[in-house]
Amino acid sequence: MNRKQKRSLIEIIVTAGLLILCIVLEKLVLKPADGFSWQALCLFLVPYFLIGWRVLRKAGKNIAHGQVFDENFLMALATVGALAIGEYPEAVFVMLFYRIGELFEEIAVGKSRASISSLMAIRPDSANLERDGADGGLAGGGRGRRHHSGAPRRENPAGRNRSGRYNFAGYRCTDGRIGAA
């Protein structure tokens, strides 16, 4: 886990603890009536803003840039709606679970990037292609093979020709035609 992910995990844990404390305090101390309670709203706004400030900020920035219907806006709308109808724990739970999902997504993307990077590190710089008993270079260039003009292929460790195309034997020639090299 990187630093940002650790900070998100700490925010999630602290918010979960505060949410449990708020629920207990609401049931034991406040004993809410069926109506609106300022004390309960203020009590649940603390964990709500602790866990949701990033989502609310992203939603505001995206609205300012003209991207209204993204996931951050929809999460903000859902949780503000829950707060408006008096379902304070529901609003915090929804934001908490959304942030848990974002954390899992960040971890999965990080692992995928690391796996792809490790695979790219072990890829070969060149390969040999054997065709009708003759052995020749595929991506490494050189190795006695010639392209369509008859001139020897110049050494190119990245396997690209002058135009930036990959120069695989049998696929793309230096001038962009498709055919045997």
Side-chain angles (χ1 to χ4, degrees), residues 19-100:
L19 180 59
I20 292 169
L21 180 67
C22 289
I23 292 171
V24 169
L25 284 175
E26 181 189 32
K27 298 294 180 195
L28 296 178
V29 177
L30 295 179
K31 298 178 184 159
D34 290 336
F36 176 74
S37 170
W38 281 105
Q39 295 91 359
L41 175 63
C42 292
L43 188 67
F44 282 101
L45 281 179
V46 173
Y48 176 77
F49 283 124
L50 177 66
I51 198 68
W53 70 270
R54 284 194 179 105
V55 175
L56 296 172
R57 186 184 67 185
K58 286 180 194 175
K61 283 183 178 180
N62 289 342
I63 289 171
H65 290 101
Q67 293 179 318
V68 178
F69 293 109
D70 68 337
E71 62 186 17
N72 296 305
F73 172 74
L74 296 174
M75 289 304 301
L77 182 66
T79 55
V80 169
L83 289 172
I85 64 172
E87 294 295 331
Y88 311 129
E90 179 85 14
V92 180
F93 272 122
V94 168
M95 194 64 79
L96 180 66
F97 289 139
Y98 177 72
R99 287 292 307 278
I100 290 171

